[in-house]
Amino acid sequence: MNNYRIAIVGALGAVGQEMLKTLDQRNFPFETIKLLDIPSKAGTKVPFRGNYLTVEAAQKGAFSNVDVALFSAGGDASIELAPIAVEEGAIVIDNSSAWRMDPSVPLVVPEVNPEDLDWHKGLIANPNCSTIQMLVALKPIHDVYQIQRVIVSTYQAVSGTGQRAIDELRQQTECHVTGKEIIPQVYPYEISFNALPHIDVFQENGYTKEEMKMVNETKKILDENIQVSATAVRIPVFRGHSESVNIETIQPFQMDQIYMLLQNAPGIQVMDDLANLIYPLPILAEGKDDVFVGRIRKDFTTENGLNLWIVADNLRKGAALNAVQIAETLILRKLI
């Protein structure tokens, strides 16, 4: 197997650091790893395998000796730098929303639609974190029973917003305990001991951009005919997104068949032992690769209805791991 030259753009962010950790833990066949970030952070030393990697400026010319560039630097940086990276010879796997709905760019979850990688033109989009974990769980069910409608409510960790939100939750929790005044900065309201039904900006239809990402990305990745309604909520959890998902299939199913499909599907771990109070929790998913599924039960209010509780580490499978798996799949399909 060849060794590949990797770059991580946005390397000092929460997802960028998780990308570096994931490449290391999965023994990705790299020859070199280049860390790139904004020019003011160039020169920063990052520990790696008993040594240090030095951060370089993400700019034109930085990608000339790169095979795969993992981007997690935000939409503006991706719009500016991704085409440059592709022109300089790198395959870009972008974690922002900038390219996801571009019809010329594959939007990929390796367990769901790896075949879409076959038509990439140098740029591949990583889906939204909440979409990724939901579709990993829905794919095996859809393949057999054809899902026609999804209603999802998410309970999303603050790490989805970034390091500033992680710090704010920690600070607000300390203020809450000590009785100090809480002044929100990252979110419009206090996030500690609270729940905010507001992730990203509101659209004209009353949904947020985050909610519409789940709608549109599900259609592009899984099936354009699936109807999706989403409500996205930010909760005071540091890491790990949870989702309550209600689906309706066209074909009737038996519950034992649903369990069998989920247990045998790649990337899924079923945690559903109610007698022993075993069900997915974000605190248990942290640092894990799998998508955890539990509270699997028939929706008795509608024909062919099913309820699922889906949990995954949003920095891991919801971002860094999925990007690395895309790179691994490119290698397996001999696309790089």
Side-chain angles (χ1 to χ4, degrees):
M1 180 179 289
N2 294 327
N3 288 330
Y4 299 91
R5 300 165 297 178
I6 307 298
I8 301 175
V9 182
L12 295 178
V15 173
Q17 287 294 289
E18 194 67 27
M19 286 174 169
L20 182 61
K21 183 190 301 183
T22 304
L23 288 166
D24 186 25
Q25 292 175 342
R26 292 177 70 85
N27 293 314
F28 187 90
F30 61 84
E31 177 182 330
T32 59
I33 293 183
K34 179 183 290 191
L35 303 186
L36 302 173
D37 216 301
I38 59 176
S40 63
K41 295 183 178 180
T44 303
K45 303 289 186 180
V46 176
F48 184 69
R49 291 188 172 179
N51 210 325
Y52 289 90
L53 299 174
T54 302
V55 176
E56 302 175 35
Q59 58 192 10
K60 187 174 182 179
F63 305 95
S64 58
N65 294 311
V66 171
D67 298 308
V68 178
L70 306 177
F71 271 62
S72 185
D76 290 342
S78 292
I79 290 171
E80 177 188 353
L81 292 173
I84 292 173
V86 173
E87 185 178 344
E88 293 181 2
I91 295 175
V92 171
I93 302 171
D94 180 45
N95 195 56
S96 80
S97 61
W99 304 97
R100 289 175 185 161
M101 299 314 298
D102 187 320
S104 68
V105 176
L107 182 65
V108 175
V109 180
E111 296 92 338
V112 179
N113 62 329
E115 65 281 356
D116 283 349
L117 291 173
D118 296 346
W119 51 269
H120 85 81
K121 300 174 183 177
L123 179 56
I124 301 157
N126 210 29
N128 185 48
C129 47
S130 50
T131 304
I132 290 172
Q133 67 185 69
M134 182 175 75
L135 295 191
V136 169
L138 296 192
K139 168 66 173 176
I141 299 172
H142 181 65
D143 282 350
V144 177
Y145 299 110
Q146 198 172 352
I147 297 170
Q148 61 180 339
R149 186 166 185 248
V150 178
I151 301 174
V152 54
S153 296
T154 72
Y155 305 81
Q156 295 180 224
V158 296
S159 54
T161 306
Q163 188 61 48
R164 287 180 63 239
I166 296 172
D167 295 340
E168 177 156 289
L169 174 57
R170 184 175 289 111
Q171 293 164 359
Q172 288 184 0
T173 302
E174 292 173 356
C175 289
H176 211 285
V177 172
T178 59
K180 295 180 181 179
E181 182 182 6
I182 294 174
I183 303 175
Q185 295 182 345
V186 176
Y187 299 116
Y189 299 98
E190 176 185 347
I191 184 60
S192 64
F193 304 96
N194 204 4
L196 307 181
H198 171 194
I199 299 179
D200 215 320
V201 297
F202 285 103
Q203 309 291 286
E204 290 185 1
N205 62 3
Y207 288 81
T208 65
K209 190 175 179 181
E210 178 81 2
E211 292 159 354
M212 293 310 299
K213 287 176 188 176
M214 297 192 74
V215 174
N216 296 325
E217 292 175 20
T218 296
K219 289 177 175 291
K220 182 173 180 178
I221 297 168
L222 190 60
D223 190 329
E224 64 179 9
N225 296 312
I226 294 178
Q227 299 301 306
V228 182
S229 179
T231 301
V233 182
R234 188 75 68 190
I235 61 170
V237 166
F238 285 114
R239 184 162 169 166
H241 289 353
S242 304
E243 298 173 346
S244 173
V245 181
N246 177 273
I247 67 175
E248 184 179 357
T249 63
I250 293 177
Q251 305 297 329
F253 57 82
Q254 298 296 321
M255 289 303 299
D256 59 344
Q257 296 170 327
I258 296 294
Y259 277 101
M260 182 181 67
L261 287 171
L262 292 171
Q263 288 168 342
N264 293 331
I268 293 175
Q269 183 173 331
V270 174
M271 296 183 66
D272 199 345
D273 182 358
L274 301 185
N276 292 298
L277 303 184
I278 294 175
Y279 35 72
L281 299 171
I283 200 169
L284 298 177
E286 183 172 340
K288 306 292 198 317
D289 288 349
D290 286 335
V291 171
F292 297 87
V293 184
R295 297 298 316 279
I296 306 165
R297 60 204 188 277
K298 182 80 171 64
D299 178 359
F300 55 79
T301 68
T302 186
E303 189 175 7
N304 302 334
L306 181 70
N307 290 301
L308 305 170
W309 177 249
I310 303 169
V311 177
D313 184 332
N314 58 296
L315 297 183
R316 191 81 177 183
K317 181 55 183 170
L321 173 64
N322 199 76
V324 172
Q325 286 177 311
I326 289 173
E328 292 171 343
T329 307
L330 287 170
I331 294 171
L332 290 173
R333 298 179 81 88
K334 299 182 178 178
L335 298 172
I336 53 175

